[in-house]
């Protein structure tokens, strides 16, 4: 592999479809195992999941399917391998949440999703939102953006 991950991520922003696809293919070939390993590490914790490797393949595919779009958000700060690993772990956490119905906070604690009634007063809603973990708010914002 001649180009580093950072260069490949930047190439995925190219106007040229051929350049984007070549960068994506090189990224897939060079970094698929890293993504797969991170995803498997998260999904293996679902005790009743009979085929964690199969689920890992699905999530890994999802990561790479969305990588060209995600690369638009890549900033040349830190190591690109860490950025890609975070993308993989977030995708795995979302998959685990779908499988289990539970969300695991930053420190591994299980957090039940909370519903806020829209009948509540504005101050009560703001207070409820202030008590939600920052990671959960970021996840909610991502979902709202995806729905738009």
């Amino acid at each position: 592999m001649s180009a580093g991950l950072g260069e490949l991520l930047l190439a995925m922003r190219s106007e040229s479809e051929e350049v984007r696809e070549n960068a994506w293919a090189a990224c897939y070939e060079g970094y698929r195992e890293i993504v797969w390993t991170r995803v498997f590490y998260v999904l293996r914790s679902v005790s009743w999941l009979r085929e964690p490797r199969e689920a890992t393949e699905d999530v890994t595919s999802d990561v790479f399917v969305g990588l060209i779009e995600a690369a638009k958000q890549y900033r040349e700060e830190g190591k690109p391998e860490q950025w890609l690993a975070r993308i993989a772990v977030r995708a795995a956490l979302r998959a685990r949440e779908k499988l289990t119905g539970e969300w695991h906070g930053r420190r591994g604690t299980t957090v039940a999703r909370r519903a806020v009634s829209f009948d509540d007063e504005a101050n009560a809603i703001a207070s409820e939102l202030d008590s939600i973990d920052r990671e959960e708010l970021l996840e909610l914002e991502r979902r709202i953006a995806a729905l738009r």
Side-chain angles (χ1 to χ4, degrees):
M1 180 172 35
S2 60
L5 179 58
E7 293 173 25
L8 293 173
L9 293 170
L10 293 175
M12 283 186 224
R13 298 180 186 175
S14 172
E15 295 294 321
S16 166
E17 184 175 347
E18 181 180 356
V19 170
R20 285 192 313 269
E21 288 180 4
N22 288 338
W24 180 90
C27 188
Y28 182 83
E29 183 179 316
Y31 297 93
R32 183 197 166 286
E33 188 174 321
I34 292 170
V35 170
W36 191 95
T37 303
R38 298 306 186 276
V39 171
F40 182 75
Y41 181 81
V42 173
L43 293 183
R44 70 179 171 73
S45 66
V46 180
S47 61
W48 56 263
L49 190 59
R50 289 183 168 258
E51 298 293 334
R53 292 180 188 280
E54 187 175 307
T56 298
E57 286 294 335
D58 292 342
V59 174
T60 300
S61 293
D62 291 345
V63 168
F64 281 99
V65 164
L67 191 57
I68 289 179
E69 191 64 31
K72 294 175 183 176
Q73 305 303 316
Y74 171 69
R75 302 290 176 256
E76 295 180 73
E77 301 168 358
K79 294 183 179 181
E81 291 80 7
Q82 290 174 337
W83 179 86
L84 182 59
R86 282 193 307 269
I87 296 290
V89 168
R90 286 181 187 140
L93 289 171
R94 285 191 298 273
R96 182 174 70 184
E97 178 185 2
K98 286 179 186 175
L99 289 168
T100 65
E102 296 176 340
W103 184 76
H104 295 265
R106 175 176 281 185
R107 293 173 188 83
T109 58
T110 301
V111 179
R113 294 273 188 191
R114 290 183 270 198
V116 177
S117 168
F118 288 103
D119 297 329
D120 292 341
E121 295 176 30
N123 288 340
I125 292 171
S127 175
E128 184 70 22
L129 290 174
D130 288 343
S131 70
I132 296 174
D133 182 56
R134 184 181 186 309
E135 288 292 314
E136 187 171 6
L137 284 175
L138 291 173
E139 176 65 13
L140 291 173
E141 288 175 12
R142 185 199 63 76
R143 288 181 180 196
I144 289 169
L147 289 172
R148 289 185 181 141

